[in-house]
Amino acid sequence: MKKQIVKESTSLVPVEIIQSKIYLIRGHKVMLDKELAELYGVSTKRLKEQVRRNLKRFPGDFMLELTWEEAESLRSQIATLKRGEHIKYLPYAFTEQGVAMLSSVLNSDRAIEINIQIMRVFTKLREMMISHKDLAHKIEDLERNFQEKFQEHDKKIILIFNAIKELLVDKEEVAKKRGPLGFIPPKLSETGNKSKKK
């Protein structure tokens, strides 16, 4: 029993390695033929032969053939070839459904085992994306609520500043127009002159 458990754990590939081999191409999460062949323990040539023999099982939404530009771009990102080597054939990229179909085409225990792992990784990624979308929607709702509240708050602050400005402007203008406030006694010289003239 222990030998079987050890055998299963050594034949499995860590989740992180599988995740690192999933790329986003043309809006699809895909895995490349060369990297899948490595995981399955077969040559890329054998994997492609099996795919070509069973092309009916791989419609356009299961498998993409990369363009030369896409292949060169990926080559520079993941550095799959040694310096001076060139890509001879365009790689295939398999979507989740295409990867699932590969195990039936390759028909080996290792391919089935690895496919189960890959399907689990794709499922986890999908769940993470859904939770990220939910989180993004919640953040957008919060942002919208805060913007509405801040707009109301900003309007109130602007009204307060405007009222303060009006009060300041009014006091200065009124003070200039009416003069100083309070009783100002007449000067003695003016009152003395008025009484003598009578």
Side-chain angles (χ1 to χ4, degrees):
M1 187 77 171
K2 287 183 181 179
K3 288 183 180 180
Q4 189 177 16
I5 294 171
V6 172
K7 185 180 178 185
E8 287 178 3
S9 64
T10 57
S11 66
L12 297 178
V13 178
V15 172
E16 296 80 20
I17 290 176
I18 295 173
Q19 284 178 336
S20 70
K21 295 179 184 297
I22 297 175
Y23 305 98
L24 188 66
I25 299 175
R26 299 183 206 165
H28 299 283
K29 284 191 238 89
V30 297
M31 296 185 75
L32 300 178
D33 55 6
K34 181 179 181 185
E35 295 178 340
L36 283 165
E38 288 172 10
L39 291 173
Y40 294 143
V42 299
S43 68
T44 307
K45 181 179 178 181
R46 182 170 185 282
L47 185 138
K48 283 185 159 188
E49 284 173 356
Q50 292 300 323
V51 169
R52 280 190 219 108
R53 287 181 188 155
N54 297 282
L55 273 178
K56 289 182 182 180
R57 294 181 182 222
F58 297 95
D61 57 333
F62 281 34
M63 180 184 74
L64 315 165
E65 186 173 25
L66 300 185
T67 64
W68 287 108
E69 293 82 22
E70 290 168 333
E72 283 298 321
S73 173
L74 273 175
R75 177 185 173 211
S76 65
Q77 289 176 20
I78 58 177
T80 57
L81 295 176
K82 294 177 185 172
R83 196 170 230 193
E85 289 184 358
H86 299 285
I87 299 171
K88 296 175 187 171
Y89 306 104
L90 288 173
Y92 290 146
F94 296 90
T95 63
E96 181 179 353
Q97 294 83 9
V99 171
M101 190 62 71
L102 277 173
S103 65
S104 66
V105 170
L106 292 174
N107 198 19
S108 73
D109 290 338
R110 172 124 176 119
I112 292 168
E113 202 173 288
I114 294 294
N115 263 17
I116 291 169
Q117 262 193 293
I118 292 171
M119 292 303 108
R120 287 180 178 150
V121 170
F122 271 111
T123 303
K124 283 181 185 178
L125 287 174
R126 194 171 29 259
E127 288 171 358
M128 285 174 40
M129 287 184 66
I130 289 170
S131 67
H132 285 298
K133 284 181 183 178
D134 290 343
L135 183 61
H137 288 302
K138 287 178 183 177
I139 289 172
E140 285 175 10
D141 289 342
L142 282 172
E143 187 178 17
R144 198 171 18 262
N145 289 338
F146 279 121
Q147 283 179 346
E148 289 171 4
K149 288 179 182 178
F150 284 133
Q151 285 175 352
E152 290 176 25
H153 186 258
D154 290 346
K155 288 177 185 175
K156 290 176 182 176
I157 290 175
I158 290 170
L159 286 173
I160 291 170
F161 279 125
N162 288 340
I164 291 171
K165 285 179 186 176
E166 286 178 22
L167 289 172
L168 292 174
V169 169
D170 286 343
K171 283 184 178 180
E172 290 174 5
E173 288 180 13
V174 168
K176 287 179 186 176
K177 288 180 183 176
R178 69 177 162 173
L181 289 177
F183 176 74
I184 300 176
K187 294 182 182 176
L188 289 177
S189 59
E190 291 177 5
T191 55
N193 292 340
K194 288 181 182 176
S195 59
K196 290 182 182 177
K197 288 182 181 177
K198 289 184 184 179

